[in-house]
Amino acid sequence: MIEFVGVTKTYDGGAPAVDNFSLRLAPRRITALVGSSGCGKTTLLRMINRMVDPTVGRVEIDGEDIAGRRPVGLRRGIGYVPQDSGLLPHRRVIDNISVVPLLNGATRAAARLRASELMAVVGLDPALAHRYPAQLSGGQRQRVAVARALAGNPNILLMDEPFGAVDPIVRADLQQETLRLQHELRKTIVLVTHDIDEAFLLGDEVVVLRPGAQVAQHGTPADILADPADSFVAAFIGSARGKRRLTISAQRSVDGADRVVVDAGGYPVGVIAAPEGRLPVADPTPRSRGAQVVG
Amino acid sequence: MSWLLDNFTLVTELALQHARLSAVPIVVGLLASISLGWLAHRVRAARLIVLTSFSLIFTVPSLALFVLLPLVLNTRVLDERNVIAAMSLYAIATMLRGAVDGFDHLSPGVTRSATALGYSPTGLFWKVQLPLAGPVLLANLRVVSASTVSLVSVGALIGKGGLGYLFTNGFQRNHPTEIVVGIVAVLLLALSFDVVLVLVGRAALPWIRNLGGTSPT
């Protein structure tokens, strides 16, 4: 379990990037930190693997202040996926994924075996194993980055705008893949994003941040959508623009069973099956998150 | 041509001496440029001092260095170590700025994510930063190699200049063939040094041939 306790980070006497931030993150869940550029969300993420140390306060993992841990050892036990994949350009795909097992003392053969397994786990064609990162597409590079982050079998995975640099179709694909993986692996994932739709899709819990990493609201996507804490959150999630406020159109489909759903601007966003005019009721838990949480 | 055949042993001996006098400064230049370049890259105060002092050394004429070095190194004037030391200083002066640039322009994203993986600072240097600066270092080293091989000839003025002897001797005896043989031999030597460097670079930096080489599928 990760906990921030009264954390402040100030760079060279400027305004604090993070100002007295406290938060307990749900273990084995995806917590999405979402906010505009410069709100301090990436700084928070980097405090978890000591890429950044707090000026004041502490970060605890399983109750232990990580300021007492050697950064190098701490980082080897935490997966990290940056926006630009961060792959080593001079190492082949298989060697990139092998880095952490090798740093942790695995033999070359064991590390390679582990890397091959992980390529399968993240859906990479084994034929790509001996390519260099420059020979991959953006989506493939991000898959390699995820495989590399998982290679050390960490409990914690940090994802910093992991799908921000790929096109929308690939991004949607990678998001689904992340949900599928998390369904199997159940890691404690901290996801930083400025994309509220991504936060709602992937986050079991969502933390909406103002500048200075001030928590505007913390809750499940459903809580935040149903009851935005204030006008800042409402504006951020788009309900103020009417994007989330949906109504059923007066227009019916030909057979009369499907009804068109429109947003507040009157633009169609989807259809809803309403046999005999009755609206269906869904289980509020997304399918990918329905499994029992162990531990 | 007959001159060359008659003096083949002499030319070979001079070429070997020339190769030795060039190779040592090239290796010293590479190692010193990596260490000093890294220092200059990391420590702001060191950067100014190191870069300025080697820029100044570069302005000292080589002949003056040959005269000065025996005083500094406590060697005899005709010692070949003077030539090696002078050439090493020029090699560092030629290569240093390029080495600093190579380290300065490493992608911060790659360095950051490698740090996040758990590389120690030492591991990061040897496994990530040095290899990634490799292409820039190699390009600079090839310049150093060519300029060293040609500069060593000046050592002939103090009697230790490898193939440079053919220039001074040919000039004194007014024997153009000897000078031409010297020029061609120096060119061939520089060329073979370059071929070696390119091959070593290809073996050590296999990924640079694959940068954007094939299209992603």
Side-chain angles (χ1 to χ4, degrees), chain A residues 46 49 51 72 75-76 78 80 82 84 86-91 99-100 103 128 131-132 134-137 140 148, chain B residues 107 109-121 127-128 131-132 206-207 210-217:
Chain A
R46 290 185 185 157
N49 64 354
M51 299 287 284
V72 169
R75 290 171 194 149
R76 287 177 189 176
I78 296 178
Y80 178 74
D84 56 4
L87 297 178
L88 302 174
H90 62 304
R91 308 293 288 275
V99 164
V100 177
L103 287 173
L128 300 178
R131 296 257 183 113
Y132 288 99
Q135 299 170 300
L136 303 180
S137 69
Q140 289 168 335
R148 184 173 70 167
Chain B
S107 149
V110 170
T111 307
R112 192 185 307 121
S113 72
T115 307
L117 289 178
Y119 277 108
S120 64
K127 298 286 180 65
V128 180
L132 288 181
W207 84 93
N210 293 299
L211 283 182
T214 55
S215 60
T217 50

Side-chain angles (χ1 to χ4, degrees), chain B residues 25-45:
Chain B
I26 292 169
V27 172
V28 170
L30 173 66
L31 298 180
S33 296
I34 290 173
S35 336
L36 291 172
W38 184 252
L39 184 73
H41 164 70
R42 294 303 295 266
V43 186
R44 189 147 288 281

Side-chain angles (χ1 to χ4, degrees), chain A residues 92-175:
Chain A
R92 296 171 192 274
V93 165
I94 190 96
D95 297 320
N96 262 287
I97 305 175
S98 301
V99 164
V100 177
L102 286 174
L103 287 173
N104 282 332
T107 63
R108 204 165 177 77
R112 289 216 158 200
L113 187 65
R114 172 89 182 128
S116 311
E117 286 167 13
L118 279 161
M119 285 185 70
V121 168
V122 300
L124 279 168
D125 183 345
L128 300 178
H130 294 283
R131 296 257 183 113
Y132 288 99
Q135 299 170 300
L136 303 180
S137 69
Q140 289 168 335
R141 278 200 286 270
Q142 284 311 115
R143 282 176 195 266
V144 177
V146 171
R148 184 173 70 167
L150 293 171
N153 201 18
N155 292 321
I156 297 171
L157 203 56
L158 309 179
M159 306 180 92
D160 189 359
E161 308 253 7
F163 314 128
V166 294
D167 69 63
I169 294 171
V170 175
R171 185 183 313 147
D173 196 26
L174 289 170
Q175 286 167 340

Side-chain angles (χ1 to χ4, degrees), chain B residues 48-66:
Chain B
L48 191 67
I49 297 167
V50 167
L51 286 179
T52 312
S53 40
F54 277 95
S55 300
L56 287 176
I57 287 175
F58 213 32
T59 63
V60 180
S62 49
L63 202 51
L65 257 189
F66 292 147

Side-chain angles (χ1 to χ4, degrees), chain B residues 107-213:
Chain B
S107 149
V110 170
T111 307
R112 192 185 307 121
S113 72
T115 307
L117 289 178
Y119 277 108
S120 64
T122 322
L124 194 67
F125 174 76
W126 289 108
K127 298 286 180 65
V128 180
Q129 290 161 318
L130 185 59
L132 288 181
V136 176
L137 293 173
L138 179 64
N140 280 279
L141 191 63
R142 290 176 65 186
V143 174
V144 166
S145 162
S147 78
T148 305
V149 170
S150 103
L151 262 178
V152 160
S153 319
V154 182
L157 294 174
I158 60 163
K160 301 288 172 189
L163 294 161
Y165 171 80
L166 300 180
F167 303 156
T168 47
N169 192 253
F171 182 71
Q172 283 157 5
R173 293 170 50 211
N174 196 12
H175 191 320
T177 313
E178 191 177 351
I179 298 176
V180 170
V181 167
I183 292 172
V184 172
V186 169
L187 276 177
L188 287 177
L189 194 63
L191 206 62
S192 41
F193 269 54
D194 198 51
V195 169
V196 169
L197 288 180
V198 169
L199 291 178
V200 168
R202 218 174 258 185
L205 312 167
W207 84 93
I208 54 176
R209 276 174 297 160
N210 293 299
L211 283 182

